[in-house]
C-alpha cells in the first residue's frame, strides 16, 4: 500500500511519518497531503487557546477523554479525537512539551485518541500553515474531532485558533483577567469561554469579569453573531469538574453552526484563506525564480538612490522591462 492509502486505512505509524514530514516542511509531505485532499473535509476542528499556565493541556486531555464517552451529534459512535498541541518552549513554562507528553500519556492507551505535540520553531505565520497541514492529515486519517491547543499571546496564535470551527478561550483566576483576553482581541474570536482552576480563589470573580467584557464586546463587534451567545463556563481540569458541561456547549455550538449555515461559511472562508496564501507564496517564488540573479537587488539599489519610486520599480519588474 502507498503512504496515502495506509493513512486512510488508519495506519498510525504512516500517519506519524507524514506528520513529521509536514512539520519539517519536506516536499514529499505536501505531495502526500495532495493525494489525501479528496479524503478531507469531514473533521470538526476545535481551537483551545489562552495564556500559558491557564491549564489548556490539562483541559484538552480531559476533554478528549470525555468526548470519547459519548456519541457525536447524529452519530451512533463516539468520535475519534486527535490533539495537536502547539506548545512553544516558552520561558514561562520551560519544558512544557515534555510536561504535556507526560500528562497526556494516560490517554495513549485509547486507540481513538491521537496526540501530537509540536514545538513552535520558526515564524508564527509558518506555524499557522504547518498546523493547518497537520489538521488536514488528521482529517484524512479519519479523526472526527481535532483539538488544537495554542498559546494565546498574539495575533498569529489567534489566527491558528480561528482556523477552527469552534474556538474555546481559556482564562484562570489571577491571570490578569479581561485585560489579557482583550489584548489579543481574543474575546471576539471566542465561541466558548472557560474559566479553569475554578477550585482556586477568585474564579467566580473572573467569570463575572469575563461575562461583563463579553457583554460589552457583543454590543461593539459581534453583531454578525447575534444568534450565538458565548457561555462562560467554570471548570477544574485537574479533576474533570465542569468538563461534561463544556462538552454540552461544544456540541451545542456544533449544532448551531450546522443549523444556521455558518459551518459552510467558515469552511469556505478557511479554504479561501489557505488558497490565497498558497497562491501568493507560489506566485512570488516563481517570479523570483524567473528573474535573473541580482535584478531584485539592483531595484533595491535604485530605490536607495531614489532613482525610481517603489511603484515604478514594481511596474518595471512586472512589465519585464529592465
Ligand atoms: N488548581 C488547579 N490547577 C490546575 C487546573 N488545571 C491545570 N492546573 C495546573 O496548572 C498547571 C498548568 O497546566 P497546563 O495544563 O500545563 O497549562 P497550559 O500551559 O495552559 O497548557 C499544571 O500544574 C496543572 O496541573 C485546575 O483546574 N485547578
Ligand atoms: Mg500546554
Amino acid at each position: 500500500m502507498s503512504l496515502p492509502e495506509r493513512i486512510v486505512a488508519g495506519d498510525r505509524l504512516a500517519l506519524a511519518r507524514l506528520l513529521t514530514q509536514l512539520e519539517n516542511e519536506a516536499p514529499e509531505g505536501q505531495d502526500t497531503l495532495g493525494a489525501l485532499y479528496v479524503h478531507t473535509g469531514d473533521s470538526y476542528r476545535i481551537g483551545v487557546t489562552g495564556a500559558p499556565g491557564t491549564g489548556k493541556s490539562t483541559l484538552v486531555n480531559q476533554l478528549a477523554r470525555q468526548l470519547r464517552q459519548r456519541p457525536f451529534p447524529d452519530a451512533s459512535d463516539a468520535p475519534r479525537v486527535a490533539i495537536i498541541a502547539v506548545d512553544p518552549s516558552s520561558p514561562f513554562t520551560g519544558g512544557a512539551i515534555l510536561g504535556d507528553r507526560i500528562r497526556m500519556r494516560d490517554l495513549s492507551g485509547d486507540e481513538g485518541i491521537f496526540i501530537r505535540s509540536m514545538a513552535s520553531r520558526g515564524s508564527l505565520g509558518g506555524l499557522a500553515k504547518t498546523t493547518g497541514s497537520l489538521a488536514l492529515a488528521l482529517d484524512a486519517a479519519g479523526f472526527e474531532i481535532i483539538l488544537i491547543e495554542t498559546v494565546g499571546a498574539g495575533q498569529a496564535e489567534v489566527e491558528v485558533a480561528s482556523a477552527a470551527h469552534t474556538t474555546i478561550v481559556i482564562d484562570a483566576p489571577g491571570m490578569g483577567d479581561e485585560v489579557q483576553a482583550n489584548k489579543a482581541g481574543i474575546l471576539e474570536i471566542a465561541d466558548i469561554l472557560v474559566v479553569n482552576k475554578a477550585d482556586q480563589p477568585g474564579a467566580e470573580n473572573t467569570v463575572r469579569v469575563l461575562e461583563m467584557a463579553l457583554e460589552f464586546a457583543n454590543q461593539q463587534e459581534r453583531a454578525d453573531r447575534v444568534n450565538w451567545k458565548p457561555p462562560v463556563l467554570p471548570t477544574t481540569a485537574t479533576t474533570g469538574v465542569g468538563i461534561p458541561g463544556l462538552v454540552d456547549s461544544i456540541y451545542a455550538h456544533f449544532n448551531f453552526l450546522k443549523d444556521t449555515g455558518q459551518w459552510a461559511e467558515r469552511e469556505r472562508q478557511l479554504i479561501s484563506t489557505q488558497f490565497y496564501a498558497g497562491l501568493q507564496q507560489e506566485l512570488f517564488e516563481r517570479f523570483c525564480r524567473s528573474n535573473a540573479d541580482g535584478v531584485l537587488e539592483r531595484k533595491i539599489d535604485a530605490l536607495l538612490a531614489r532613482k525610481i519610486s517603489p511603484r515604478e520599480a514594481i511596474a518595471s519588474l512586472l512589465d519585464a522591462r529592465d
Side-chain angles (χ1 to χ4, degrees):
M1 269 202 281
S2 67
L3 190 61
E5 282 167 347
R6 284 170 58 199
I7 288 165
V8 173
D11 181 334
R12 291 170 83 102
L13 267 177
L15 174 62
R17 206 171 107 200
L18 173 61
L19 297 182
T20 302
Q21 288 172 350
L22 292 172
E23 224 183 311
N24 295 335
E25 293 181 41
E28 60 266 36
Q30 286 301 327
D31 291 344
T32 306
L33 203 57
L36 287 173
Y37 195 72
V38 64
H39 298 286
T40 63
D42 303 317
S43 72
Y44 176 31
R45 287 181 302 279
I46 304 170
V48 178
T49 192
T54 46
K56 295 179 297 298
S57 298
T58 314
L59 184 122
V60 161
N61 182 325
Q62 279 283 351
L63 193 55
R65 203 199 311 251
Q66 299 217 13
L67 284 165
R68 292 283 298 149
Q69 282 166 17
R70 35 174 139 161
F72 204 44
D74 298 330
S76 51
D77 295 326
R80 299 208 296 145
V81 181
I83 298 171
I84 305 174
V86 186
D87 215 329
S89 21
S90 122
F92 302 107
T93 52
I97 301 280
L98 186 62
D100 285 345
R101 288 221 166 111
I102 290 166
R103 265 199 295 287
M104 287 178 170
R105 197 175 46 193
D106 54 330
L107 289 174
S108 57
D110 182 347
E111 274 292 301
I113 296 181
F114 187 96
I115 301 164
R116 184 76 180 197
S117 292
M118 202 166 74
S120 67
R121 297 161 286 166
S123 74
L124 285 164
L127 187 65
K129 198 176 131 195
T130 308
T131 309
S133 296
L134 296 199
L136 272 180
L138 290 161
D139 181 342
F143 289 92
E144 285 99 348
I145 294 185
I146 303 174
L147 295 169
I148 305 170
E149 176 195 340
T150 56
V151 177
Q155 199 50 46
E157 293 87 343
V158 168
E159 258 166 50
V160 175
S162 58
H165 297 103
T166 297
T167 300
I168 303 174
V169 173
I170 309 215
D171 204 343
M175 302 295 297
D177 297 341
E178 96 284 0
V179 183
Q180 221 148 12
N182 275 328
K183 200 163 55 187
I186 247 169
L187 276 182
E188 284 74 35
I189 60 155
D191 298 304
I192 298 169
L193 278 147
V194 165
V195 175
N196 191 43
K197 306 196 182 183
D199 55 321
Q200 298 289 95
E204 279 170 26
N205 189 51
T206 304
V207 170
R208 262 196 309 276
V209 166
L210 284 176
E211 276 171 347
M212 276 161 57
L214 254 185
E215 205 56 46
F216 188 68
N218 254 323
Q219 290 162 4
Q220 302 260 304
E221 333 212 9
R222 298 185 57 123
D224 58 320
R225 289 205 234 162
V226 280
N227 293 320
W228 177 262
K229 192 172 176 293
V232 182
L233 308 170
T235 62
T236 304
T238 36
T239 60
V241 171
I243 306 291
L246 176 57
V247 174
D248 291 340
S249 280
I250 288 170
Y251 283 164
H253 191 245
F254 174 86
N255 287 328
F256 165 80
L257 290 175
K258 290 280 185 179
D259 294 346
T260 57
Q262 288 195 36
W263 178 281
E265 240 171 75
R266 282 189 187 201
E267 284 281 308
R268 187 173 181 89
Q269 199 180 348
L270 229 146
I271 285 179
S272 338
T273 307
Q274 282 167 351
F275 174 64
Y276 286 127
L279 184 62
Q280 224 167 33
Q281 189 185 346
E282 184 67 27
L283 283 173
F284 182 68
E285 280 167 10
R286 277 195 200 186
F287 179 80
C288 290
R289 275 199 302 273
S290 71
N291 273 280
D293 281 352
V295 170
L296 298 179
E297 280 304 311
R298 281 202 297 282
K299 288 291 173 208
I300 291 168
D301 290 339
L303 288 170
L304 257 177
R306 302 296 191 275
K307 284 184 186 153
I308 50 171
S309 71
R311 190 182 159 82
E312 286 164 341
I314 291 167
S316 72
L317 280 170
L318 292 180
D319 297 343
R321 288 184 275 105
D322 191 39

